């Protein structure tokens, strides 16, 4: 749909946060949710790494496919914003702040890629979503319970 310009927005979710789906195809017979409450158990941690590694490989595959499509001024990845994250930074403790986020692509110049940026813990995730919406031409004053202003240094 992106390649043919039939859509400008897609959602690609591997599984919801509380799924009980097992991962036997990568050697993990239990669910992501179950083992994410790892209690520092080495077996759980190892299986969690296996699942997360597979998920990041799926992201890498998507990004490579976007990068392989020329659009005349660059690649489809240059014109795309890809947001990759989880709803919890540490599922063992249900920590939902300081989430690791990958933003890929340039969004037509809205994002300067190739950086690792760490924001103070008091910067809410909603501010990032305000910025991403703005990059797509949608102006919103707030997002969620705590998003109040765009993040200004994404470009």
């Amino acid at each position: 749909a992106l390649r043919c310009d039939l859509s400008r927005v897609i959602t690609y979710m591997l599984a919801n946060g509380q799924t009980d789906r097992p991962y036997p195809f990568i050697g993990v017979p239990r669910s992501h949710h179950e083992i994410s409450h790892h209690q520092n158990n080495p077996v759980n941690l190892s299986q969690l790494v296996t699942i997360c590694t597979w998920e990041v490989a799926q992201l890498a595959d998507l990004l490579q496919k976007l990068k392989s499509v020329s659009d005349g001024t660059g690649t489809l990845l240059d014109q795309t914003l890809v947001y990759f994250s989880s709803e919890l930074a540490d599922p063992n403790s249900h920590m939902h702040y300081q989430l690791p986020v990958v933003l890929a692509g340039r969004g037509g110049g809205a994002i300067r890629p190739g950086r690792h940026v760490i924001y103070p813990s008091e910067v809410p995730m909603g501010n990032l979503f305000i910025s991403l919406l703005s990059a797509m031409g949608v102006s919103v004053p707030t997002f969620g319970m705590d998003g109040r202003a765009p993040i200004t240094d994404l470009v």
Side-chain angles (χ1 to χ4, degrees):
L2 293 173
R3 179 182 289 179
C4 299
D5 202 17
L6 295 173
S7 178
R8 300 275 176 156
V9 178
I10 63 169
T11 300
Y12 183 60
M13 185 179 209
L14 296 172
N16 68 35
Q18 292 188 4
T19 183
D20 287 325
R21 173 184 151 198
Y23 290 78
F25 57 94
I26 56 172
V28 180
R30 298 163 52 216
S31 78
H32 188 195
H33 183 229
E34 176 188 359
I35 63 172
S36 70
H37 299 284
H38 52 75
Q39 300 175 332
N40 294 315
N41 176 313
V43 171
N44 291 345
L45 288 168
S46 175
Q47 290 180 346
L48 190 58
V49 166
T50 298
I51 292 172
C52 292
T53 300
W54 176 80
E55 290 175 339
V56 171
Q58 303 315 296
L59 171 67
D61 183 56
L62 172 65
L63 297 177
Q64 185 55 48
K65 286 176 179 169
L66 291 171
K67 188 175 180 180
S68 72
V69 177
S70 175
D71 77 343
T73 60
T75 69
L76 188 53
L77 182 59
D78 292 327
Q79 302 306 319
T80 304
L81 281 175
V82 177
Y83 169 88
F84 179 83
S85 188
S86 173
E87 63 272 11
L88 296 171
D90 178 9
N92 194 53
S93 64
H94 279 200
M95 187 176 91
H96 61 275
Y97 53 90
Q98 293 184 315
L99 296 175
V101 172
V102 173
L103 283 180
R106 295 180 188 277
I111 302 294
R112 182 169 43 100
R115 303 176 295 152
H116 179 223
V117 181
I118 300 173
Y119 291 96
S121 61
E122 60 272 4
V123 175
M125 184 63 73
N127 287 2
L128 174 61
F129 294 135
I130 291 171
S131 299
L132 296 179
L133 286 167
S134 177
M136 294 183 279
V138 178
S139 179
V140 296
T142 62
F143 190 96
M145 293 174 50
D146 55 4
R148 301 286 178 255
I151 294 173
T152 58
D153 61 349
L154 292 178
V155 179

